[in-house]
Amino acid sequence: MDHSRAPVLEALQEFRRRGDVVFGPPGHKQGRGVDPRVADVVGMDVFRSDVLSLNGLDDRRQSQGVLSQAQELMADAVGAEQAFFSTCGSSLSVKTAMLAVAGPGEKLLVSRNAHKSVVSAVIVNGVEPIWVHPKFDAERHLAHPPEPDDVRRRLKEHPDAKGMLLITPTDWGTCADIRGVARVCHEFGVPLIVDEAWGAHLPFHPSLPPWGMDAEADLVVTSVHKMGGAIEQSSVFHLQYDRVSPEALKQREDLLGTTSASSLVYATLDGWRRQMAEHGQELLDGALHRAERIRSAVAGLPGLRPMGQEIVDAGLAAEFDPLKIVIDVRELGITGMQAAEWLRARRHVDVGGSDSCRISASVTHADDDETEQVLVDSLRALADGADSIERQPAVRLPDPSSLELEQAMLPREAFFAPAEHVPAERAAGRIAAEMISPYPPGVPVVAPGEVITEEVLDYLRSGVEHGVLIPDAADPSVKSLRVVARSAG
Ligand SMILES: Cc1ncc(COP(=O)(O)O)c(C=O)c1O
């Protein structure tokens, strides 16, 4: 296929050249009505390129097939049989992908280190989750993806499960043995869905960990805005084999998706595919060398411990994305949240993630010598200045086994059941009616239907005291919790 073409961008260019006068949405009419104060900040081109797909990018009959051509080019570039663009982020795409495999009341294996969007899907879709517990790394206090044998065990216990959803890479760059898990799923005749929100770049360089389509998964969801170059909310479904019907995927996407897809998202997805197809290997080569330099510079700084290949050598993860610079800061005597706040306040450097132990910085094809220098200099300054950061009592990290909570009710039933709020002191033993997800990474520590324990409460509350954010809890301070009312439990 001709990867120098970019059908959406070309259609947008043509629309602008023709100067169509539009009497439908968007009401700003390609910027004619925009408040200049808005245009001053975000630029007029945002509005000029914001057009409807039908009767804008394409004609009323979609006869030029603008979007389908762009999707075919994407599939060809990454080696998938089919690709579909979504403008609603992977948060929505994972819900659709799960719904394409398991309907309400059906069972789906889900790795429990799932992002909150996956747990939301379990609630919204009404599937019965068969949790596959991740591998807890007590030393680093990290959850790595589950292994093929964990999946085999759960499929043997639940032979009626319709498939599996695996999350890899994690927010912290550790990756599953996708091929191993896919083969186990296929032995049982069910598809593997991979939430590869953090892996959009993986198809474009041979030294990066294998991605889902190359590793025999059936359906892969990526967020191109995370490690790739399209704008926020850009997400792609990739499909191969015949275990997931493209028709079911399309129709179930239609149930949840928007009828007003953003042309800006489509255009930037299209442009990213062209850039990667033409220059991906070279651009990612540069990023990989940069990440290696950053990691070794950080390893030489006192108190900072970058995570690397040792995680794979120790058998904790099958692969590791080297473009994720994950740095343990505990030896500095501070938390990752404190490090992140210090870097933002003192150096205007915004890291990608932080938790009680570490920070992470994503290196992409977009980094250059200047950003590399800024990152290394700021981390050096952090290592030198950490003594001046106020010491806090440590977050009370639970024993990994106590993070595996008993599931007493289905998440959907618990979420919609009559609920009450109880003070945290009286919440142990009660069934959660809400998700409680420290952010980032947004992986729920407590999912609806799980029985709350003292250890988890202690962990969450001490985390909040240290600046962990829990935006989805009814009471983000976790002084009280939303639990299933006694009469309903
Ligand atoms: C593993 C994982 N899946 C899905 C999502 C949701 O993706 P999006 O932000 O594109 O909606 C995220 C977001 O952080 C994530 O980390």
Side-chain angles (χ1 to χ4, degrees):
M1 292 185 85
D2 182 357
H3 281 287
S4 67
R5 303 293 305 272
V8 176
L9 283 164
E10 287 163 20
L12 199 50
Q13 223 169 6
E14 178 57 16
F15 173 90
R16 289 176 60 162
R17 189 198 60 74
R18 286 194 314 264
D20 284 15
V21 180
V22 176
F23 290 94
H28 58 69
K29 304 212 170 186
Q30 285 67 55
R32 280 186 171 84
V34 71
D35 183 330
R37 290 169 297 182
V38 177
D40 270 355
V41 178
V42 301
M44 198 60 175
D45 278 337
V46 170
F47 294 93
R48 290 199 180 109
S49 297
D50 186 27
V51 303
L52 284 187
S53 290
L54 295 183
N55 266 350
L57 285 183
D58 211 333
D59 60 29
R60 193 176 62 83
R61 294 172 187 272
Q62 291 189 329
S63 50
Q64 297 155 50
V66 171
L67 183 60
S68 49
Q69 284 176 44
Q71 294 179 150
E72 280 163 25
L73 282 160
M74 176 65 90
D76 185 67
V78 298
E81 284 172 17
Q82 296 186 60
F84 303 103
F85 293 172
S86 163
T87 65
C88 304
S90 292
S91 295
L92 204 101
S93 305
V94 289
K95 291 183 182 69
T96 306
M98 289 164 73
L99 205 50
V101 169
E106 293 182 325
K107 291 180 180 172
L108 185 71
L109 267 64
V110 181
S111 59
R112 182 58 183 83
N113 61 326
H115 183 252
K116 62 192 283 344
S117 57
V118 172
V119 180
S120 311
V122 166
I123 297 168
V124 173
N125 298 358
V127 297
E128 181 180 338
I130 306 299
W131 298 121
V132 185
H133 283 287
K135 191 185 282 185
F136 287 109
D137 175 345
E139 185 194 330
R140 294 174 187 80
H141 196 73
L142 265 189
H144 305 296
E147 295 191 340
D149 281 345
D150 304 318
V151 176
R152 177 175 280 106
R153 201 174 49 252
R154 294 302 263 161
L155 279 172
K156 274 191 183 149
E157 288 163 6
H158 298 274
D160 51 341
K162 298 291 177 189
M164 156 97 197
L165 177 98
L166 183 67
I167 293 98
T168 179
T170 64
D171 284 63
W172 307 108
T174 63
C175 305
D177 170 7
I178 305 177
R179 193 181 309 277
V181 173
R183 288 187 176 170
V184 171
C185 288
H186 298 165
E187 268 171 45
F188 286 80
V190 295
L192 174 67
I193 311 167
V194 181
D195 173 354
E196 216 160 323
W198 285 101
H201 58 309
L202 301 181
F204 299 107
H205 198 287
S207 306
L208 288 167
W211 80 297
M213 289 283 105
D214 283 348
E216 302 174 24
D218 297 271
L219 177 56
V220 174
V221 169
T222 56
S223 286
V224 178
H225 61 96
K226 289 194 191 298
M227 293 296 287
I231 63 172
E232 289 286 301
Q233 292 188 208
S234 53
S235 174
V236 184
F237 297 99
H238 305 273
L239 194 60
Q240 65 184 357
Y241 314 137
D242 55 6
R243 293 181 193 87
V244 181
S245 143
E247 182 184 286
L249 180 65
K250 246 349 255 162
Q251 293 205 328
R252 293 175 194 193
E253 205 245 314
D254 200 42
L255 283 182
L256 299 173
T258 176
T259 49
S260 307
S262 161
S263 52
L264 294 166
V265 174
Y266 283 160
T268 56
L269 275 170
D270 199 24
W272 149 260
R273 183 269 316 150
R274 178 172 61 184
Q275 184 184 22
M276 283 297 111
E278 290 182 345
H279 311 292
Q281 179 144 349
E282 166 201 334
L283 288 169
L284 289 167
D285 241 1
L288 283 163
H289 285 116
R290 198 175 294 293
E292 202 177 297
R293 282 197 301 273
I294 296 173
R295 192 172 277 104
S296 60
V298 174
L301 296 174
L304 296 180
R305 291 282 152 266
M307 191 164 87
Q309 184 59 24
E310 73 283 355
I311 210 97
V312 176
D313 299 341
L316 291 163
E319 304 273 349
F320 176 70
D321 180 357
L323 295 184
K324 269 289 168 86
I325 312 283
V326 176
I327 307 166
D328 196 318
V329 299
R330 284 176 291 179
E331 278 180 28
L332 292 179
I334 57 172
T335 64
M337 287 88 70
Q338 285 179 295
E341 273 162 27
W342 189 95
L343 287 165
R344 185 175 163 94
R346 300 293 181 93
R347 309 293 295 206
H348 306 303
V349 167
D350 303 343
V351 291
S354 59
D355 70 6
S356 43
C357 307
R358 75 206 101 238
I359 53 174
S360 79
S362 302
V363 173
T364 73
H365 67 291
D367 282 290
D368 57 21
D369 291 347
E370 187 188 342
T371 61
E372 175 181 339
Q373 194 64 49
V374 167
L375 180 59
V376 173
D377 287 350
S378 316
L379 291 168
R380 185 172 296 114
L382 173 70
D384 292 344
D387 283 349
S388 64
I389 301 176
E390 186 197 338
R391 290 302 182 262
Q392 294 178 334
V395 179
R396 292 184 289 280
L397 298 173
D399 183 61
S401 60
S402 46
L403 287 170
E404 291 184 15
L405 302 182
E406 177 200 340
Q407 194 186 317
M409 278 174 87
L410 287 179
R412 181 187 179 95
E413 283 171 10
F415 189 83
F416 291 111
E420 57 187 329
H421 292 87
V422 293
E425 301 73 45
R426 289 199 276 115
R430 301 295 300 269
I431 302 172
E434 63 176 341
M435 258 192 271
I436 307 183
S437 323
Y439 215 93
V443 172
V445 169
V446 178
E450 290 180 337
V451 180
I452 299 162
T453 60
E454 289 290 1
E455 288 93 327
V456 156
L457 280 169
D458 200 32
Y459 166 48
L460 289 168
R461 297 196 63 193
S462 70
V464 169
E465 281 162 25
H466 288 79
V468 171
L469 302 178
I470 308 192
D472 57 1
D475 173 2
S477 71
V478 201
K479 290 197 175 94
S480 67
L481 287 93
R482 185 181 153 89
V483 298
V484 174
R486 286 252 190 243
S487 53

